[in-house]
Amino acid sequence: MDNASTVTEVNGDLDGAIETRGIEPVPDHERHGRVRELFPTWVAANISVLLLTMGAALVVFNKLNFWQVLIVAACAAVASFGLVGLLSVSGKWGGAPGAMLSRATFGVRGNLFPGAILWVARFGWETINAVTGAYAVLTVLDLLFGIKSNTILIVVTLFAFVACTFLVSGMGRKALNVCNKWSTYLFGVFSVLVLVYLIANMDWDNVFSKPAGSTAMMIAGIGTIAAGGISWVPTGPDFARYLPHAASGKKIVGATVSGAGIVMVPMVLMGAVMAVATPGLADAPDPVSFLGDILPTWIAVPYLVTAIVGMLLINSLSMYSAGFTAQTMGVKLPRALAVSINAVISLVGGLLLMLVAKSFLSSFITFLILLAVSFSAWIGVYSVDMLRRRARAVRYDAEGLMDTGRTSRYWYAGGFCWQAMTSWAVALLAGLSFTACDWFSGPLSSTFIGKYGLGWAATIAISALLMAVLPTPRENGSEESAAEADAGAEKVSV
């Protein structure tokens, strides 16, 4: 093992505070992670006031009542982070980031195509979070000191937020786990305070008297809320790669869904309740300032401060994984430096969104819709490949994942797995054809699938079905799994 791929040893544990390991698979003797560490990770991944805005949108735009919002939030959490948990299991199988394991599915060259789209989508998500964090800082400055937003302050605030994100993301998995743990406690305490305040001061007769919305709007709402979780699916293995092979797959899924759901459901519900009292918050020019109007300063300020920390961690988790994606795409830089590319793009994109874009919310909803479709095409193909590997007891080959030449086990035909590429491309085009948003409307957006906002679900189904019916790809130098079985390779377990 060379120096570039080692991590600092602390008390016999090779997971040092500053992680220098890149995309190379983690060897078995360094697998000291525990499944329970995933719980605070996925709690922290959802500490965002954007969930309040999205909950408000369900009431204002989708016309849903309290009980419908509860169902939508719960279904979205289970559906999206259930997928995150299930595909995270591949991380313990292969010990590598999701973008790296994807080479085994699409081929070492074929993986560049879905990888490029996932990377670009990650830029957008990081930009949205950076902008929201900057708006939160501006709101705190206004509430505490009466400092009003201006162009210079926007630039400085956004730059500071992105810089802090970059520094935290470079510290690695262990440092992020510690930060996630304490931010979870703090955000939980202040969220309870907000909830108690709302219970004591809201007009609950008005909240529960709202008429029910349509089933179509409920289903569409599930897709909108779930889109944020779906965007984490390809990066789920990144946070499970340090788990030992014996780690329970069921516990991985449980920790992922419960960690996300414990934040998503109450946050979306709080946003819905706030929207009943202040319907205009869903149309607010930014997703944060309305909190200063609804909550007293003594609650709003500490709540926003903890939310800022939460959004900082969300972006740090995202940039942590984005660094792996960059390296997988062929960026010849250490992971920490590869992350800097995302930081710069987030800064530029954030400035455009804050200073040029006319509507934050419409841009955000459109982004979520396209995000869900673009990630769903990858999910279907990758899921079928995972199931095949488990059924045939074929484990990921570490040397094959790192080898990008013709000798790679995952070279397939010219570096492309045509079955996976075909399934992914067809499903992606089909998903976009079912999609309608501010930027465009697909030719099939007026169908049942389009009207109910099920383009993302159809994309997963189409890509998975095509991958399943096409001939099973043959890995180079592999006679199915017979050679591995003869060598005593243990069965891949869920």
Side-chain angles (χ1 to χ4, degrees):
M1 183 184 304
D2 57 31
N3 293 333
S5 62
T6 58
V7 288
T8 306
E9 183 172 359
V10 180
N11 296 327
D13 186 350
L14 293 178
D15 293 333
I18 305 298
E19 183 180 357
T20 57
R21 177 173 296 284
I23 57 178
E24 66 276 7
V26 180
D28 290 350
H29 68 274
E30 291 185 24
R31 304 281 197 91
H32 304 305
R34 298 180 180 180
V35 174
R36 65 170 178 261
E37 294 174 348
L38 296 177
F39 181 84
T41 295
W42 296 117
V43 169
N46 287 277
I47 298 178
S48 173
V49 293
L50 286 173
L51 287 172
L52 297 177
T53 305
M54 294 166 71
L58 292 177
V59 171
V60 177
F61 299 140
N62 293 46
K63 307 298 182 183
L64 304 183
N65 63 19
F66 179 88
W67 302 113
Q68 288 177 313
V69 171
L70 174 60
I71 294 172
V72 166
C75 290
V78 172
S80 59
F81 282 93
L83 287 171
V84 174
L86 286 170
L87 271 68
S88 292
V89 174
S90 65
K92 71 151 186 167
W93 290 354
M100 187 68 168
L101 296 175
S102 186
R103 283 180 177 175
T105 304
F106 292 90
V108 294
R109 287 180 174 174
N111 191 47
L112 298 177
F113 290 85
I117 291 182
L118 297 182
W119 197 22
V120 170
R122 185 62 62 196
F123 292 155
W125 192 238
E126 290 164 5
T127 298
I128 292 289
N129 282 327
V131 167
T132 306
Y135 274 131
V137 174
L138 293 171
T139 301
V140 170
L141 292 176
D142 184 19
L143 291 175
L144 285 181
F145 309 109
I147 300 175
K148 301 299 180 181
S149 175
N150 57 61
T151 300
I152 295 178
L153 190 58
I154 287 175
V155 173
V156 172
T157 304
L158 183 63
F159 179 82
F161 186 88
V162 172
C164 289
T165 300
F166 172 75
L167 291 175
V168 175
S169 67
M171 296 180 71
R173 184 189 65 89
K174 190 168 185 177
L176 287 175
N177 283 342
V178 173
C179 293
N180 291 340
K181 177 180 177 181
W182 289 104
S183 68
T184 296
Y185 293 153
L186 288 173
F187 190 76
V189 169
F190 286 109
S191 292
V192 170
L193 284 177
V194 172
L195 186 59
V196 170
Y197 178 84
L198 291 177
I199 292 174
N201 292 276
M202 288 299 298
D203 181 359
W204 289 100
D205 287 337
N206 188 26
V207 171
F208 290 118
S209 64
K210 284 187 64 64
S214 68
T215 302
M217 287 295 97
M218 282 187 66
I219 296 175
I222 291 173
T224 301
I225 304 299
I230 289 173
S231 70
W232 285 105
V233 175
T235 58
D238 302 10
F239 306 104
R241 64 193 296 230
Y242 283 92
L243 297 178
H245 290 292
S248 169
K250 292 180 180 178
K251 290 183 179 179
I252 290 174
V253 176
T256 302
V257 174
S258 58
I262 202 172
V263 178
M264 282 183 68
V265 175
M267 287 283 285
V268 171
L269 274 178
M270 284 195 296
V273 170
M274 291 176 180
V276 175
T278 313
L281 70 85
D283 296 314
D286 70 72
V288 177
S289 59
F290 70 88
L291 289 173
D293 300 326
I294 295 177
L295 302 175
T297 302
W298 65 272
I299 292 180
V301 170
Y303 184 65
L304 280 172
V305 170
T306 57
I308 290 169
V309 174
M311 287 180 285
L312 181 69
L313 289 172
I314 291 175
N315 250 18
S316 296
L317 291 170
S318 181
M319 284 191 178
Y320 173 83
S321 292
F324 294 138
T325 306
Q327 289 179 313
T328 305
M329 293 291 295
V331 176
K332 303 298 183 181
L333 292 173
R335 182 180 58 81
L337 291 180
V339 169
S340 64
I341 298 175
N342 287 59
V344 172
I345 293 176
S346 294
L347 180 61
V348 174
L351 290 174
L352 292 175
L353 190 56
M354 296 182 78
L355 299 176
V356 179
K358 296 181 180 180
S359 172
F360 175 88
L361 186 60
S362 62
S363 299
F364 177 54
I365 296 298
T366 298
F367 169 71
L368 283 179
I369 293 172
L370 297 177
L371 186 79
V373 173
S374 62
F375 280 65
S376 294
W378 182 92
I379 291 171
V381 176
Y382 191 86
S383 298
V384 172
D385 183 68
M386 273 188 65
L387 291 173
R388 284 175 172 167
R389 291 181 185 282
R390 179 174 181 265
R392 296 182 294 136
V394 177
R395 293 176 60 174
Y396 292 98
D397 180 67
E399 292 184 4
L401 290 172
M402 294 299 294
D403 186 358
T404 59
R406 296 178 181 276
T407 57
S408 173
R409 177 166 182 158
Y410 306 116
W411 182 254
Y412 297 110
F416 297 87
C417 174
W418 69 266
Q419 297 94 329
M421 294 299 297
T422 300
S423 302
W424 170 78
V426 171
L428 182 61
L429 292 176
L432 292 175
S433 71
F434 288 117
T435 301
C437 60
D438 288 348
W439 298 345
F440 76 95
S441 292
L444 300 178
S445 59
S446 60
T447 62
F448 174 88
I449 294 176
K451 289 180 179 179
Y452 278 71
L454 291 172
W456 63 278
T459 304
I460 294 177
I462 293 170
S463 60
L465 180 61
L466 286 175
M467 186 65 175
V469 299
L470 290 174
T472 301
R474 295 291 298 273
E475 297 172 356
N476 289 359
S478 173
E479 296 295 335
E480 295 296 321
S481 60
E484 290 183 352
D486 292 341
E490 61 182 281
K491 183 177 178 64
V492 176
S493 63
V494 173

